Amino acid sequence: MFDDLAPDLERLRTLRVWHALWLNRIDAKIARLERRKAEAEHGRKSRPRPPEWVVEVGIGTGRPSVQVHAGTCHMIGSRRRPVSRDEARRLLTDGLRACTHCQPDTQLHIIDLVGVFSSQRCRSGRVATPEGLVITGVPALP
């Protein structure tokens, strides 16, 4: 049927050795790729979750805070520190700049800056803070 192989024993043995060497190379490559895939999966599973909020810090003595970002923002610089939701809100209300790309102030329901402070809670549910920020999501007055 398939008799297109070499007719003599010596060439057949050479072909067998050649194919065995190729099978060993192929098996070794398969093992390397499976190991790499398993390592990547392990790394993906054991990677720590990114922080929810990040403060970008500056250069120099005391490393002053520069900007607040959402944890997944692509504009975060290399100098950073994770912060909690409460600290991010506090920093924003204290006047720290919010990233213009990820807009953490909007995500934290701190909508916009106002020029004049009003300590009155309005009927729409907004409250103006002493720092001049308008915070939404506060229950409205009856």
Side-chain angles (χ1 to χ4, degrees), residues 68-140:
V68 177
H69 295 272
T72 57
C73 181
H74 65 280
M75 296 300 291
I76 303 172
S78 59
R79 295 176 311 275
R80 61 180 106 180
R81 68 178 172 88
V83 294
S84 67
R85 181 180 190 87
D86 292 336
E87 186 175 354
R89 287 184 72 119
R90 184 189 58 76
L91 289 169
L92 287 169
T93 56
D94 286 347
L96 189 61
R97 206 171 69 199
C99 174
T100 58
H101 293 277
C102 63
Q103 300 176 340
D105 50 347
T106 304
Q107 293 180 37
L108 290 167
H109 303 293
I110 301 171
I111 300 302
D112 57 77
L113 296 172
V114 293
V116 180
F117 168 67
S118 167
S119 62
Q120 298 276 326
R121 185 179 296 181
C122 62
R123 297 211 181 270
S124 67
R126 291 182 169 197
V127 173
T129 65
E131 293 83 12
L133 298 172
V134 174
I135 302 174
T136 61
V138 178

Side-chain angles (χ1 to χ4, degrees), residues 2-8 11-12 15 19:
F2 294 107
D3 205 12
D4 58 342
L5 294 174
D8 59 305
R11 281 194 283 177
L12 285 173
L15 283 173
H19 281 285

